[in-house]
Each structure stands twice: as structure tokens, then as C-alpha cells.
Amino acid sequence: MSWYLIVLAFIMILGATTLAYQVYKMTELDAISRGFKHPKFWGVFSLSGNGSGGLLIYLIGRRKYPSSMSEADKLVMESRKKRAGVSLIFMALSSIALFAVCIFKL
């Protein structure tokens, strides 16, 4: 196995892990602002399920509760959204590169 395949796979795994962590922290922050009991549970629950089913259930269920997020928390949420976007970009680019290397056997 070539060293660049290992590096690309590591970058893809790192991107996926950081994306999951950012989604967890955003869900936890949102659950705290809405007054949910056990916000850490909701953060983990949002990561569960095939095809992000847990996140969809959380997003549907939270509509009944108004958010009371402070300005500082809104800034933290925006920062986490940007980090999640960067993680998604790393994951996508490394997946494309890994796919191209495997197909063209570079």
C-alpha cells in the first residue's frame, strides 16, 4: 500500500471524526438553549442511526421548544458551523482524491 493512500485515508477519517464532533457540540449547545434535559444525550443521539436519522428526529422534536440562545452562544454556534464546513471539505476532497488514486492507480 502506498504512503499517499494511507495519508488520504487518514485525512478522510480525521475529517469525518471532526465533523461528527462538531455536530455533537452544536446539538448539545442547541439542546441547552432550548432547556432540554440531558443535552449530552441529545448530542450523542443526533449522531446515531443510519443516514443521520437521530439528527432528523432531534430537529423535528425541537420545534416545540423556543430557543433562548445568548449572543455569545450564537457566536460559538457560527464558529462550529464553519469548522464543520472545513471538516466536510477535507472529507470530500480526500474522498475524491482517494477514489481517483484507486481508479487510475497513480
Side-chain angles (χ1 to χ4, degrees), residues 67-84:
S67 177
S68 60
M69 195 175 289
S70 68
E71 288 301 318
D73 287 343
K74 287 181 184 178
L75 290 175
V76 170
M77 184 68 83
E78 288 301 317
S79 172
R80 295 212 178 272
K81 285 180 188 178
K82 288 178 184 175
R83 290 178 190 175

Side-chain angles (χ1 to χ4, degrees), residues 41-94:
F41 165 77
W42 288 109
V44 171
F45 182 76
S46 69
L47 298 177
S48 67
N50 256 349
S52 299
L55 182 61
L56 290 174
I57 291 171
Y58 172 76
L59 291 174
I60 290 170
R62 76 181 189 140
R63 291 187 301 172
K64 297 182 228 173
Y65 301 94
S67 177
S68 60
M69 195 175 289
S70 68
E71 288 301 318
D73 287 343
K74 287 181 184 178
L75 290 175
V76 170
M77 184 68 83
E78 288 301 317
S79 172
R80 295 212 178 272
K81 285 180 188 178
K82 288 178 184 175
R83 290 178 190 175
V86 170
S87 298
L88 192 59
I89 289 170
F90 269 98
M91 202 170 84
L93 291 178
S94 63

